[in-house]
Amino acid sequence: MISLLAKLLSVLNSDTKPSQIALAIALALLVGFNGVVSSIGLLVILLLFVVRCNLTIFLAFTAVFAVLGKLFSFLTHLIGEAVLTAEGLQSLLTDLYQTYWFRLDELNNTVEMGNLIFSVVAFVPVYFISIIIVNKYRVSLMGFANKFKVVQTLKASKFYRIYAATQS
């Protein structure tokens, strides 16, 4: 756990572009809410081989978003129910249900459909908010935090040695 936290801090303090970190967080949102073994999850895994983003951030935030997906299942249920019961979409959804991929993802389930809709809609805002947060952290919080005695003491600990080892 300490080494994972050290790696996360290492990435935040490194020269990695904020857009690469934000892309990893946004892609983790898709996988966390929809699962690795889904159409979206498999597409994201393939995309990870093509685009440049940080895998440590991706893995850590996939776990975070998986937990958030379970916590917000009441909200995604309402979204999915609204989509699945919409009169104008009935024939389209019936046709889609006849396809293999739609059934594989279990998108006839209100929570699964809500997770898909929510994660796709939230992808762009999460990406841009993540860029802003990483930039704010690097500009203000990183320098501010290094001034505290607690941080200086922490730098003398085993945690910081692990952190420093991940830097090289």
Side-chain angles (χ1 to χ4, degrees), residues 1-13 56 158-167:
M1 181 69 176
I2 290 177
S3 63
L4 177 63
L5 183 60
K7 286 181 183 179
L8 290 174
L9 287 175
S10 172
V11 170
L12 286 174
N13 294 333
T56 302
K158 179 182 176 186
F159 173 79
Y160 188 75
R161 285 192 300 273
I162 294 170
Y163 166 75
T166 61
Q167 291 286 56

Side-chain angles (χ1 to χ4, degrees), residues 20 48 53 60 72 81 83 140 162 164:
Q20 293 172 342
L48 287 174
C53 67
F72 290 128
E81 185 177 29
V83 170
S140 59
I162 294 170

